[in-house]
Amino acid sequence: MNVSRSVYQKILAYILTAALVFTLAASFLPAAQADEFRSSTNVKLVVNGTPVSSDVAPIIINERTMIPARAVFEQLGGTVSWNEASQQVTVQLSGHTVVLTIQSLNATVDGVLKTMDAVPRLYQGRTLIPIRFVAEALGATVGWDNATRTATINLGGVQPAPTPSVPATKGSITAVSVTYGTDSNLYTTVKITSSVAMTTSDYSLMTLTGPNRYVVDFTNFTGTSGSLKTFAKNTRSNAVVTGIRTAMHRDDQFRLVCDLSKAATPTVSLSGDKKTLFVTFAEVKSSTSTTTTTTTTKPTTSTSTTTTTKPTTSTTTTTTTTTTSGSTYNPRADKKLVVVLDPGHGASTAGKRSPDGTLREYELNRDIAYRMRDILKANGITVYMTVSDKTSDPSLASRVNYANRVGADIFVSVHANAFGNGVDWEDQAKGWEIYYYATSSVGKKLAQYIHDANYPSSGTNIGINDRGIKTANFYVLKYTSMPAVLIEHGFYTSSTEIKLLKSSTWRQKAAQLDANGIMNFFKSYK
């Protein structure tokens, strides 16, 4: 740590507990604790210098700061999982594994039993765990700015384990290739192939300035030996990536360097078999003429592919957000329409069910999304799904990276809503609503078309209350490289709306109306 133990403890005194956020059924706090939550105050959260946005804002409860797990740990490259049977949450990050149990002071860090100063607890289907314990277990530093009410978490002080005298080799980098776009469709995709499957802990990403570079290091991987090797150059004057270089940076570390003409952050994702890493820098050239169009290459099948393609809208990444420009967006430019449907959540996602336990949100989301898929495909539209089975719950980053990689024209995330403590029916919250990212003009247009299809001026509508079109900083809206929306199909915590949500007839109507909105949106482009 960069601060003394006593100073570290004083800092952590301001930040006593952290919230790892998951929905969980049939669990709630006593009334006194519920009152504490109602009186809590929202705060800001910064992780490793980057503000964190999520659908659940950090809050202070009795001088304790609660933060959302997925938004924090996925941004840091970690994973979080929930075991409902054992009531345990597991955090994996920086080579460490922390396992905590609801209402227990006992936890394990890398298999060693530890005692915490506060117990994890549940409220409104959300799991809250103590940050003091997690921060110390993961080697993080924590800070608090009272003037701006900002909590900070920094993993920069983590000391790596000593390097063994004979580095262990996990695998080798067997191939590196580069694909460049055209002047009208600027992008550079670097494809790095390994002899073995990789995880996010096998590589690290780094942005450097003076000059601008982007670096990917593969620890315990072999590859090109000797001095730094330049194997690809891009002489196009308006290219972001001007060259690619590789070398063995250390005896146990293979390094790839992207030389940049300006500061830029790519989209990074792994292939389905985990053996190929895609690093894509993308930038749509501004249109200077009303006749200028953008050409996109997209996969030709509806199955997962390792082909990296260039989206037709301004690119967003996990650290940089840009605006989808209506002046340069034309989904019909390549004479092929591609939709990515994202059924939210999975069977392993804690909670996300009706108070009586008869409806799980993931099942509803998948059913509606699959029905939408069939309708769109029947109308000649290519459809990709972010999930390939009935139960899995891919991370938000993997969902976004997949959509960016296949070059989708639009991204539609399918959800249902909840309100209350997760135990009692709450009929005060009802209705359908749709979200888009505030700076995306085309995302707003897409949301309007889907909304209007569900609530036409005449004819059949979705049959529940219209909660309207809204903006949000949801991860899947902010970091997708194409217009994106998230639809909430009613409340499964409402005793009246759940009857519709469980109805096959209503689900088919919802899928048809959503699909109508998507097709009407595409029809608006010639």
Side-chain angles (χ1 to χ4, degrees):
M1 300 290 178
N2 295 324
V3 295
S4 67
R5 179 72 174 178
S6 60
V7 173
Y8 179 70
Q9 290 176 332
K10 289 179 181 179
I11 294 173
L12 288 178
Y14 287 103
I15 310 201
L16 298 179
T17 57
L20 289 182
V21 178
F22 295 96
T23 46
L24 189 68
S27 300
F28 60 100
L29 292 177
Q33 291 181 347
D35 289 339
E36 294 173 359
F37 279 75
R38 294 190 189 99
S39 63
S40 61
T41 304
N42 286 351
V43 298
K44 300 174 183 177
L45 176 63
V46 175
V47 177
N48 278 0
T50 301
V52 173
S53 298
S54 71
D55 56 350
V56 178
I59 57 177
I60 292 180
I61 304 167
N62 293 336
E63 299 184 357
R64 299 184 177 212
T65 301
M66 309 291 185
I67 60 175
R70 284 193 182 273
V72 174
F73 290 102
E74 286 185 357
Q75 177 160 322
L76 293 172
T79 60
V80 181
S81 58
W82 168 257
N83 187 318
E84 188 168 356
S86 62
Q87 297 281 284
Q88 288 183 329
V89 61
T90 301
V91 182
Q92 293 178 305
L93 180 66
S94 301
H96 298 288
T97 300
V98 182
V99 181
L100 307 99
T101 304
I102 299 304
Q103 296 299 330
S104 173
L105 288 174
N106 295 326
T108 61
V109 178
D110 298 329
V112 179
L113 184 65
K114 303 286 185 178
T115 302
M116 299 181 290
D117 59 356
V119 298
R121 50 185 187 167
L122 302 171
Y123 177 71
Q124 291 192 358
R126 306 188 187 283
T127 306
L128 310 181
I129 71 173
I131 195 174
R132 174 191 289 272
F133 179 80
V134 175
E136 291 180 348
L138 299 177
T141 57
V142 183
W144 172 254
D145 185 338
N146 195 52
T148 60
R149 303 191 68 76
T150 301
T152 60
I153 298 177
N154 187 355
L155 282 178
V158 176
Q159 297 298 318
T163 302
S165 56
V166 179
T169 300
K170 177 176 180 178
S172 61
I173 303 301
T174 60
V176 177
S177 61
V178 185
T179 302
Y180 294 110
T182 63
D183 284 343
S184 62
N185 185 21
L186 300 179
Y187 73 93
T188 301
T189 293
V190 185
K191 179 181 176 182
I192 308 108
T193 303
S194 165
S195 62
V196 297
M198 296 180 284
T199 68
T200 55
S201 62
D202 290 326
Y203 58 87
S204 59
L205 310 172
M206 180 168 50
T207 301
L208 302 176
T209 58
N212 291 312
R213 289 153 291 159
Y214 192 81
V215 178
V216 186
D217 285 329
F218 298 84
T219 301
N220 294 333
F221 282 77
T222 61
T224 305
S225 60
S227 60
L228 206 62
K229 176 184 177 183
T230 300
F231 74 91
K233 277 186 174 295
N234 187 3
T235 58
R236 229 176 38 238
S237 61
N238 53 0
V240 174
V241 180
T242 58
I244 310 293
R245 299 174 285 145
T246 63
M248 287 302 297
H249 180 57
R250 297 194 316 243
D251 289 342
D252 65 335
Q253 189 178 79
F254 177 83
R255 169 168 286 187
L256 180 140
V257 179
C258 300
D259 293 316
L260 309 177
S261 61
K262 62 181 181 179
T265 306
T267 296
V268 179
S269 61
L270 280 169
S271 61
D273 63 4
K274 309 296 185 183
K275 289 187 177 182
T276 302
L277 185 72
F278 297 97
V279 181
T280 299
F281 295 83
E283 176 186 0
V284 175
K285 186 176 181 181
S286 298
S287 175
T288 57
S289 168
T290 56
T291 60
T292 300
T293 60
T294 301
T295 301
T296 303
T297 301
K298 305 191 188 81
T300 58
T301 67
S302 59
T303 57
S304 178
T305 176
T306 57
T307 301
T308 302
T309 59
K310 175 65 188 70
T312 58
T313 64
S314 300
T315 297
T316 59
T317 70
T318 54
T319 56
T320 304
T321 303
T322 55
T323 302
T324 302
S325 171
S327 63
T328 60
Y329 176 81
N330 184 359
R332 293 186 176 276
D334 61 349
K335 303 186 185 304
K336 185 176 183 180
L337 300 175
V338 177
V339 175
V340 166
L341 295 180
D342 174 47
H345 310 297
S348 62
T349 308
K352 292 292 183 184
R353 65 184 68 185
S354 61
D356 62 0
T358 61
L359 177 65
R360 295 287 295 273
E361 185 190 344
Y362 84 91
E363 182 275 327
L364 170 68
N365 298 343
R366 277 165 166 74
D367 191 15
I368 293 177
Y370 293 156
R371 293 168 187 259
M372 290 172 62
R373 174 198 61 191
D374 294 344
I375 295 169
L376 293 172
K377 289 177 68 174
N379 284 273
I381 297 173
T382 300
V383 181
Y384 295 91
M385 308 295 293
T386 59
V387 294
S388 57
D389 56 50
K390 295 182 179 180
T391 60
S392 65
D393 186 15
S395 68
L396 300 178
S398 66
R399 293 170 187 258
V400 166
N401 288 337
Y402 176 70
N404 292 344
R405 191 168 74 245
V406 302
D409 291 308
I410 64 171
F411 178 95
V412 179
S413 193
V414 180
H415 288 259
N417 228 328
F419 180 78
N421 59 18
V423 177
D424 302 312
W425 294 106
E426 293 285 358
D427 284 310
Q428 59 181 307
K430 302 178 184 179
W432 183 101
E433 61 194 14
I434 189 168
Y435 291 87
Y436 69 95
Y437 191 61
T439 60
S440 174
S441 60
V442 186
K444 180 179 181 180
K445 178 180 177 179
L446 174 61
Q448 188 70 58
Y449 269 96
I450 296 176
H451 170 273
D452 292 350
N454 278 272
Y455 297 95
S457 56
S458 62
T460 303
N461 64 36
I462 192 64
I464 58 179
N465 182 46
D466 179 9
R467 293 170 62 91
I469 302 172
K470 303 178 181 181
T471 61
N473 291 335
F474 297 151
Y475 192 98
V476 295
L477 302 183
K478 185 174 182 180
Y479 296 118
T480 40
S481 299
M482 70 289 302
V485 294
L486 185 149
I487 309 172
E488 296 280 10
H489 292 88
F491 283 75
Y492 53 84
T493 50
S494 165
S495 62
T496 56
E497 283 194 350
I498 193 174
K499 296 175 183 178
L500 290 175
L501 269 58
K502 292 165 67 173
S503 163
S504 176
T505 301
W506 187 88
R507 292 181 181 187
Q508 185 64 31
K509 177 194 288 186
Q512 184 67 62
L513 293 177
D514 289 344
N516 289 348
I518 291 171
M519 291 186 289
N520 291 340
F521 169 79
F522 284 143
K523 289 176 183 177
S524 70
Y525 293 89
K526 304 298 183 182

